[in-house]
Amino acid sequence: MQQAVVPDEEVSVAPLSTARLADQAYEQLREMIVSGRFAMGTRLIEVQLAKNFGISRAPVREAMRRLVEDGLVDERPRVGYTVAEFDAAAVIDLYNVRLSLEATSIRLATRRGMATAPLRDLIDRMAAAARAGEQARVSRYELDFHAEICRASGNALIAHLFHTLEGRLLMAIALDNEGQADLQAIATEHTPLIAAIESGDEQAAAATMTGHILSTVKPLILRLGGDPGQLLVPLDHSEPA
Amino acid sequence: MQQAVVPDEEVSVAPLSTARLADQAYEQLREMIVSGRFAMGTRLIEVQLAKNFGISRAPVREAMRRLVEDGLVDERPRVGYTVAEFDAAAVIDLYNVRLSLEATSIRLATRRGMATAPLRDLIDRMAAAARAGEQARVSRYELDFHAEICRASGNALIAHLFHTLEGRLLMAIALDNEGQADLQAIATEHTPLIAAIESGDEQAAAATMTGHILSTVKPLILRLGGDPGQLLVPLDHSEPA
DNA sequence: AGTCTGTCGCCTGTCGACAGGCGACAGACG
DNA sequence: CGTCTGTCGCCTGTCGACAGGCGACAGACT
């Protein structure tokens, strides 16, 4: 017979899934879309999805609303929903926003002297996933890395917006899935960011960040037939050392 | 008897309101919130709102979802919705995001050589509204001015994000409603932006924009008891000429 | 053959009703 | 008197059903 432990002190308990059907539907649909299980342009029909999930249309509808907001689903009123299309131009738009947001994000985090231990931990996980060849896990940890900096910036709005962009970022990365296999490099490329944050030099940290982002997205845009010259570098560091 | 005109060529017809109840509820609630008709922290109860609007809960619910996304309403799952709280810290967060997004926005618009005629028109409207002392209209045209630049940037994501931020911006401005009455100045302050765009110098345009935004928000933050030193200036132009 | 028009079916938009969780209040106990 | 516990009411989360708009197809007309 197992003995229940009843501590006197408060104990932080896992959030134990909100269990809202709408949340679950959102998570699952999001996963299906960014993993490429639904081809771009595929029609998403509320009734079908509801039947597949074994739930009613209401929570599905709410999930769709959020996916539209995330840019993963296109909506035509009175007509229906389709999986969003994604091309080189969209990637450029996305990364121009990302460049400017993350430059600000790391500047704030650096200014506040954020703790870098969680970042080191994420790099370790990235490296481990890379050794295992699990690209999806590498991508997720990489986004977690950047999200952690956003959180540490102390700017809740930036953190929220980055979360909103994560879906689009995953789709952009997925566009490239048969592309590069240099997973190891991804992990190592994040180390300079930690050093930059610890240096306390905001401008340098921002330059490191923009250089890092540019180096990962330029090849992608080239492979998609886009023009990397349309990428905008915040700050005056057009070419990071 | 009026004769119907049936042109051979395609004619762009006004979108004639989508007439979705959810859209109307969203617009009305948004207006009520940003105009300060609901005090911050006020509970918003779906059933009551639905009854007041004379509609069912479904469209109200969808409107609430969007307001939450816009940051105008806070949600606590299984508990309810409240009108979002807004303080100096929130304004600083908001404007740090705005500074970085709009710097990028005007750089892109300048690079593409956007037409400035619509901007001049909006300045005229601003001035007219200012003469009439209608602060709300001034604010709206001002946001339209910036939104127009976002659209002209050619980056659909920036335009979308700016639209998302507009509600928060209106709330921030509303915080200050008993404050400054220098409405005329608002209109004239926008003229240098047009010149900067026409100059074709991206960096200069961005610097003008950040300077413009800073000059409007710094007094507001001071009045709210915040520290303007927490504002981040993109690019290296800490102090615009 | 091409174009216009009328019809049909599918899917969204909306509705009212039920179930369940959370907070508030009141009562019991130390 | 303070704290804990049980109860109650309100509001959200979810459900199934109906109405109406939009697109696709087929037929008629030029």
Side-chain angles (χ1 to χ4, degrees):
Chain A
M1 186 175 185
Q2 212 161 11
Q3 188 154 1
V5 177
V6 183
D8 280 17
E9 321 166 12
E10 243 179 87
V11 56
S12 71
V13 148
L16 74 87
S17 69
T18 324
R20 289 199 297 180
L21 296 179
D23 291 341
Q24 299 173 235
Y26 169 72
E27 295 293 344
Q28 286 208 31
L29 284 172
R30 178 185 156 112
E31 177 56 28
M32 290 184 191
I33 292 174
V34 300
S35 71
R37 193 132 126 234
F38 288 140
M40 297 191 311
T42 304
R43 279 200 72 175
L44 297 178
I45 294 154
E46 290 181 357
V47 198
Q48 288 182 11
L49 296 173
K51 197 186 300 180
N52 289 353
F53 284 138
I55 61 182
S56 90
R57 274 180 58 211
V60 173
R61 194 175 174 75
E62 181 175 329
M64 298 300 282
R65 178 73 36 209
R66 282 194 242 171
L67 292 167
V68 168
E69 191 61 31
D70 289 349
L72 296 182
V73 165
D74 288 335
E75 173 194 23
R76 276 192 307 165
R78 298 261 176 208
V79 176
Y81 305 91
T82 55
V83 176
E85 311 276 354
F86 227 77
D87 57 9
V91 174
I92 289 174
D93 284 2
L94 173 61
Y95 270 77
N96 272 337
V97 169
R98 183 182 183 182
L99 282 164
S100 94
L101 277 187
E102 290 217 58
T104 299
S105 163
I106 199 171
R107 279 183 69 187
L108 289 170
T110 301
R111 180 179 289 197
R112 293 162 61 100
M114 81 172 280
T116 51
L119 298 181
R120 294 183 191 284
D121 185 47
L122 283 166
I123 288 185
D124 290 343
R125 289 169 196 245
M126 259 185 261
R131 276 190 297 273
E134 300 181 45
Q135 180 173 354
R137 290 174 67 88
V138 174
S139 302
R140 214 182 60 209
Y141 287 136
E142 183 181 4
L143 287 188
D144 285 349
F145 184 98
H146 290 265
E148 183 64 30
I149 296 177
C150 289
R151 264 194 300 276
S153 75
N155 186 322
L157 182 54
I158 288 186
H160 171 72
L161 290 178
F162 186 80
H163 182 73
T164 292
L165 297 184
E166 274 184 10
R168 290 180 173 91
L169 288 171
L170 284 169
M171 277 196 85
I173 294 171
L175 280 182
D176 200 34
N177 48 8
E178 62 274 345
Q180 101 286 328
D182 200 354
L183 297 180
Q184 278 303 335
I186 296 179
T188 57
E189 271 175 15
H190 285 75
T191 330
L193 290 171
I194 295 185
I197 291 172
E198 289 173 344
S199 80
D201 182 342
E202 287 181 31
Q203 301 278 342
T208 306
M209 175 62 87
T210 55
H212 161 65
I213 296 177
L214 282 174
S215 77
T216 64
V217 76
K218 273 184 180 171
L220 169 58
I221 290 178
L222 284 174
R223 270 192 291 275
L224 294 177
D227 171 21
Q230 293 179 19
L231 289 169
L232 272 191
V233 187
L235 302 164
D236 268 327
H237 309 273
S238 308
E239 284 304 321
Chain B
M1 182 178 184
Q2 212 162 15
Q3 186 154 1
V5 177
V6 184
D8 280 18
E9 321 169 9
E10 244 178 87
V11 57
S12 72
V13 146
L16 73 87
S17 71
T18 324
R20 290 197 299 179
L21 296 180
D23 290 341
Q24 299 172 234
Y26 169 73
E27 295 294 345
Q28 286 209 33
L29 284 171
R30 178 186 156 113
E31 177 56 28
M32 290 183 191
I33 292 173
V34 300
S35 72
R37 193 132 125 236
F38 288 142
M40 298 191 310
T42 305
R43 277 201 74 175
L44 297 178
I45 293 156
E46 290 181 356
V47 196
Q48 287 183 11
L49 296 172
K51 198 185 300 178
N52 290 352
F53 285 137
I55 60 182
S56 88
R57 276 180 57 210
V60 173
R61 195 176 173 75
E62 182 175 328
M64 299 300 283
R65 178 72 36 207
R66 281 193 243 172
L67 292 167
V68 169
E69 193 60 31
D70 289 347
L72 296 182
V73 166
D74 288 335
E75 174 194 24
R76 276 193 307 164
R78 299 259 175 212
V79 176
Y81 304 92
T82 56
V83 176
E85 311 276 355
F86 227 75
D87 57 10
V91 174
I92 290 174
D93 284 2
L94 173 61
Y95 271 79
N96 272 336
V97 169
R98 183 180 184 184
L99 283 164
S100 92
L101 277 187
E102 289 218 58
T104 299
S105 164
I106 199 172
R107 280 183 68 186
L108 289 171
T110 302
R111 179 179 292 194
R112 292 161 61 100
M114 81 172 281
T116 51
L119 297 182
R120 294 183 191 284
D121 185 49
L122 282 167
I123 288 184
D124 290 343
R125 290 170 195 241
M126 259 185 262
R131 278 189 297 274
E134 301 182 44
Q135 181 172 355
R137 290 173 66 88
V138 175
S139 302
R140 215 184 56 210
Y141 288 135
E142 182 181 2
L143 287 189
D144 285 348
F145 185 98
H146 290 266
E148 183 64 29
I149 297 177
C150 288
R151 264 194 301 277
S153 75
N155 187 322
L157 182 54
I158 288 186
H160 170 72
L161 290 178
F162 187 79
H163 181 74
T164 292
L165 298 183
E166 273 183 12
R168 290 180 174 89
L169 289 170
L170 284 169
M171 278 197 84
I173 294 171
L175 278 182
D176 200 32
N177 47 7
E178 62 275 345
Q180 100 286 330
D182 199 354
L183 295 180
Q184 278 302 337
I186 295 180
T188 57
E189 272 176 13
H190 284 76
T191 329
L193 290 171
I194 294 185
I197 290 173
E198 290 171 344
S199 79
D201 182 342
E202 287 182 29
Q203 300 279 342
T208 307
M209 176 61 88
T210 54
H212 161 65
I213 297 176
L214 281 174
S215 76
T216 64
V217 75
K218 272 183 181 171
L220 168 57
I221 290 178
L222 284 174
R223 271 192 290 276
L224 294 177
D227 171 22
Q230 293 178 21
L231 289 170
L232 272 193
V233 188
L235 303 163
D236 269 328
H237 309 273
S238 309
E239 284 304 320

